[in-house]
Amino acid sequence: MAEKLIDRSNEYIRIEGVTKRFGDFVAVDNVSLNVYKGEIFCLLGGSGCGKTTLLRMLAGFEAPTSGRILIDGQDMADIPPYERPVNMMFQSYALFPHMTVAANVAFGLEQEGLARSEIDRRVGEMLDIVKLGDFGRRKPHQLSGGQRQRVALARALVKRPKLLLLDEPLGALDRKLREHTQFELINLQEQLGVTFVVVTHDQEEAMTLASRIGVMNKGQIVQVGTPTEIYEFPSSRFVADFIGSVNMFDGQLVEDEPGHVRIRCPELESMVYVSHGISAAPDAKVSVAIRPEKIEMTRTAPESSENRARGVVKEIAYMGDMSVYLVRLESGRMVRVTIPNIERHDERIVWEETVHLNWHPSSPVVLSQ
Amino acid sequence: MAPTPGNRVPQGLANDRLGLLYALLQQFGLQRWSQYVRQHWSGQRLVIAIPWVWLFLFFVVPFLIVFKISFSEIRLAMPPYAPLFEWLEEGKRLVTTLNLGNYAFILSDNLYISTFAYSLKVAAVSTLLCLLIGYPMAYAIARSTPTARSLFLMLIILPFWTSFLLRVYAWVGLLKTDGVINNTLLAVGLIDAPLTLLYTDLAVYIGIVYSYLPFMILPLYANLEKHDLTLLEAAADLGARPFKAFLRITLPLSVPGIVAGCLLVFIPAVGEFVIPSLLGRADQLMIGRILSDEFFANRDWPVASAVAIVMLLALLLPIMLFQRYQRLELEAAKR
């Protein structure tokens, strides 16, 4: 999806060297991060990587062991959750089971001491925005998962927070509903101008929602960037591996020029030629990462003598919109190739066919080991 | 030893006999019977039947007997009441003597009315005190670490290891004029003359609250322990201070626990016999004492039965409330 413009002059959250320990376990390890006003920032990582702990520190449910968190220039150290200009949508939604939908949404406004008429007006407006105008009198248990998710969202947004924290917001929804809700969330965010910080383990969710993604691993932020940057220019083997699928080849730098490099990979029959320079020591051991969709698969041999390989198709997984091929190279290495199924009745490559693989010199990503 | 035809024959015979026995058992024995039960009675019905039979034998039948006696007249005989139905003239005429006098007597005599009122008051105040003391305790236990939790629960249940009578009697030693409490206060110099603690309303309240507190704490704990704590985080996130969050979230969600605890204290406290007898005033009896006096001292079974029926009716309302809440909580748990 198209990248949104990020106004980097407008910093909203600043996380400075934040560490959180639970006993001996370091949940968040010296994280520094800026989030700008009006963006959707996704914290992406596997379970136990510290993303939820970081989110809970923003909400005020956990205090950092060391480091500082500033929201809108204000140090959050001594500010309890009920005084923060922040609202959170919980993974379990945490709807109050004994209250109606309208009472759930009104709860936050009642704490501000607003007049009843004002509360009713804003609750009604908010329920209309999330398309639950007729459900105000229902109890949470009478709603479907998607409806509960929207009540939780309405309850968090009705207070007009400048910052909304979302913990796995779409985790409990089925696939179709997820896709639909993702775009609804983005529309809502643009409409209300709220800054979102989203925690998710689902890379697809992060890619669709985020203006920027912070990939976390073992309590540390390993890369921050736009979805395109993260996918096309991963900065480490972990990120390349974690986001999407990738073919990773170990190799050695043999030619290092400012405009291009050549890498010899023992598993590939030809040299890998990359049309951009990298910063690495000569003869350094490197990894070459090539995305499966960036590999072309043909029955005839390609013309170039570099960036090519030959193998036999061993597995084909038909996914509808595309097919995944597993090709065994002569070195025995399996390579994953995805081909979009553009035509309905073409002469598709079948099992045990010998195929030639090639890729564009701009496709490989070179990573230091 | 080599097998010979001689010792093979009896073995065969024995086997045949066993086989016959087995076949007979199959035909008429336990297995066949249990198979019948399995096929014709569903297990659920069997399980439900056990408490039903129990309640019928030990609640419904005695209740009907008491109910019947409450409409009889007292007689100096054995049993000490007149039968409701009598065959006169050698079984030719059935005479029914339905006597409402016992109820009229209870309702007209101020002693019974005031005793009822006093019993209800004592039970209500004790229940309230139990709730005020028990709620914070149950809350603290539910929010403590799992290891501390089992220790605290153990401490709550531990007094049951000692006899109830003994525990109440121990309070006599604590409360009497030269008892532990008075002696301590005198020794410290807080008071000059011993306080009258024993044989007062206060002593009854202390006794009931002390004895019934676990029945308040345990259902409350069972409820509070199930609460989803993220709800409190959500309330805080929406701007509610901790006390406000307690009032709006924890308290309403614990209502089923409160109701269960209050009924478990209130219902037995109304009919309490031992505690007011040992610790209470001599001039103000509780309904349990009246009941036992009518039965054993006056041997007026009909009036005693009528008192028991009235008491039961007075308690039926809270029992029905209790069952309603149990059902509500069960439904809530199913979701």
Side-chain angles (χ1 to χ4, degrees), chain A residues 318-339:
Chain A
Y318 176 69
M319 318 277 275
D321 53 347
M322 58 170 198
S323 294
V324 179
Y325 292 81
L326 287 182
V327 178
R328 189 161 74 207
L329 304 186
E330 279 159 358
S331 61
R333 170 66 196 263
M334 297 298 267
V335 174
R336 191 185 170 95
V337 182
T338 52
I339 307 288

Side-chain angles (χ1 to χ4, degrees), chain A residues 56 61 82-83 86-88 90 94-96 98-99 108 110-111 141 155 159, chain B residues 228 230-231 233-242 244 248-249 252-253 335:
Chain A
R56 289 173 60 79
F61 301 134
Y82 48 86
E83 282 172 3
V86 171
N87 284 115
M88 179 151 163
F90 291 82
L95 298 178
F96 305 132
H98 57 301
M99 295 185 195
E110 284 162 7
Q111 307 313 313
H141 67 84
R155 189 178 70 175
K159 290 191 57 128
Chain B
D228 177 3
T230 49
L231 295 183
E233 284 185 347
D237 186 69
L238 293 167
R241 290 166 173 279
K244 191 78 182 284
R248 295 281 316 265
I249 311 296
L253 286 175
R335 281 174 205 132

Side-chain angles (χ1 to χ4, degrees), chain A residues 192-213:
Chain A
L192 302 172
V194 185
T195 307
F196 277 19
V197 174
V198 183
V199 152
T200 181
H201 69 277
D202 182 335
Q203 42 154 317
E204 216 172 289
E205 191 171 312
M207 296 293 239
T208 330
L209 284 176
S211 50
R212 285 192 308 146
I213 295 173

Side-chain angles (χ1 to χ4, degrees), chain B residues 252-265:
Chain B
L253 286 175
S254 61
V255 164
I258 294 174
V259 170
C262 284
L263 288 167
L264 282 179
V265 173

Side-chain angles (χ1 to χ4, degrees), chain A residues 12-13 35 39 58-59 71 85-88 156 160-165 194-197:
Chain A
Y12 192 63
I13 305 173
V35 176
E39 74 170 329
L58 287 174
I71 296 177
V86 171
N87 284 115
M88 179 151 163
R160 296 178 186 159
K162 299 218 182 66
L163 172 62
L164 184 68
L165 310 173
V194 185
T195 307
F196 277 19
V197 174

